[in-house]
Amino acid sequence: MKFQYLGTAAAEAIPALFCGCPNCVKSREIGGRAIRTRSQAIIDGTLLIDFPADTYAHFITHRIDTLKLSACLITHTHHDHLYPTDIGNLTPTTAKVPEGFHITFCGSDKVGEAIEPQLTALAKYERTSFTELKAFEPAQIGKYTITALPAIHDPKSGPFFYMISDGEKTVLYAHDTHYFHDDVWAYFEKTKPHFDLVSLDCTNACLPLRYIGHMGLAENVQVRERMTEIGTADAETIFVCNHYSHNGTHVVYDDFVPVAGKEGFLVSYDGMTITL
């Protein structure tokens, strides 16, 4: 399984558009891995995770062949994870695609409602569809078994995070969410999945968390410790911090790598690829 981060920031990106905070100033100055676009990832070049407005830029920058896409998991409806307008570019007027090309969008009922106008307009072309996912109910999407898990985030956005397995390797992509709900921990203890890669929301990085809906490094460490205790992760599991806000501390890539490394975490960057 090939897992690639296309974008690794929260809603404002880093540097944020109009921001003069120290993190944004430094990121502009040094460039490279300090520049973070809105969060998105892709597995094996075919399974997309989220669809922000930066999707086009990601595809060009990272040379993604859009005609190989088969499905797109949407975590929730917030604009930095879902930009429905660009789905409308799948009309014959705006896109010439091979015979049989089809992409399935997947997510909660709220996601379905958010993209319904675009999918309705595209219905006659049979290029798109929507599969509603239910929490704790595994669904087969192509060769992948997808299990949606309830995220602790704005409930109006229909938030899920995802277990993704190809039958050999399993990834947990956990953004945007707080430290996991008790029901999620109970599910893990009952089903005992083994994760090869765990990507955790680290919006605050080292800033103490004062609100519900995201995590920082301290919460990431707690998640890893509990996962190890119940046997869903071990010494071979790769843990990665991801989804950063410029409002956090140590969020500039070079600053955060040694801090996260001491806790056993890799630090994501746009374009980072992990082969499992």
Side-chain angles (χ1 to χ4, degrees):
M1 180 187 286
K2 178 184 175 182
F3 182 95
Q4 185 176 17
Y5 291 98
L6 304 180
T8 57
E12 304 96 329
I14 301 175
L17 187 59
F18 298 108
C19 188
C21 78
N23 286 329
C24 290
V25 170
K26 184 174 183 179
S27 296
R28 288 191 189 94
E29 289 175 348
I30 65 177
R33 294 179 180 180
I35 305 299
R36 298 184 182 277
T37 54
R38 272 65 68 96
S39 288
Q40 187 175 39
I42 192 168
I43 295 177
D44 296 329
T46 63
L47 178 63
L48 197 61
I49 307 175
D50 280 335
F51 198 81
D54 291 337
T55 296
Y56 177 78
H58 291 164
F59 289 171
I60 297 300
T61 300
H62 305 296
R63 298 181 180 273
I64 304 299
D65 185 349
T66 58
L67 297 180
K68 292 183 178 179
L69 295 176
S70 59
C72 179
L73 305 178
I74 305 295
T75 56
H76 61 303
T77 63
H78 285 171
H79 71 87
D80 54 321
H81 293 262
L82 176 61
Y83 183 68
T85 301
D86 276 352
I87 297 174
N89 287 327
L90 274 166
T91 67
T93 302
T94 53
K96 311 302 181 186
V97 301
E99 187 72 25
F101 174 84
H102 187 93
I103 182 167
T104 303
F105 290 88
C106 310
S108 67
D109 57 344
K110 299 295 185 184
V111 169
E113 292 171 6
I115 65 176
E116 190 275 334
Q118 286 74 27
L119 296 195
T120 297
L122 291 167
K124 61 184 176 182
Y125 308 119
E126 299 183 342
R127 294 178 172 185
T128 58
S129 60
F130 176 70
T131 296
E132 182 179 335
L133 302 176
K134 302 286 188 180
F136 305 114
E137 296 183 11
Q140 198 67 32
I141 307 296
K143 71 174 185 178
Y144 303 99
T145 302
I146 311 295
T147 306
L149 302 169
I152 300 178
H153 198 63
D154 172 17
K156 294 182 292 185
S157 67
F160 280 151
F161 61 99
Y162 293 107
M163 288 174 49
I164 305 163
S165 176
D166 65 0
E168 296 182 3
K169 301 295 183 179
T170 303
V171 169
L172 184 68
Y173 189 79
H175 315 277
D176 293 8
T177 186
H178 193 69
Y179 182 83
F180 305 158
H181 194 281
D182 288 346
D183 287 352
V184 172
W185 291 116
Y187 181 79
F188 286 168
E189 291 180 357
K190 178 181 178 181
T191 60
K192 297 293 184 181
H194 176 269
F195 294 107
D196 299 282
L197 170 64
V198 177
S199 182
L200 295 176
D201 184 293
C202 198
T203 300
N204 272 29
C206 298
L207 184 70
L209 199 64
R210 297 187 178 90
Y211 59 91
I212 300 298
H214 288 289
M215 289 189 281
L217 182 59
E219 290 75 28
N220 287 181
V221 170
Q222 293 172 8
V223 169
R224 187 193 62 200
E225 289 176 347
R226 188 161 180 182
M227 291 182 72
T228 302
E229 287 175 2
I230 64 178
T232 58
D234 56 28
E236 301 301 314
T237 303
I238 300 170
F239 280 86
V240 185
C241 299
N242 183 49
H243 191 280
Y244 306 94
S245 168
H246 67 121
N247 293 310
T249 55
H250 295 83
V251 297
V252 177
Y253 179 83
D254 291 343
D255 295 339
F256 195 42
V257 166
V259 177
K262 288 180 181 179
E263 299 293 349
F265 284 82
L266 299 179
V267 176
S268 67
Y269 57 87
D270 289 17
M272 180 182 185
T273 301
I274 299 172
T275 301
L276 302 173

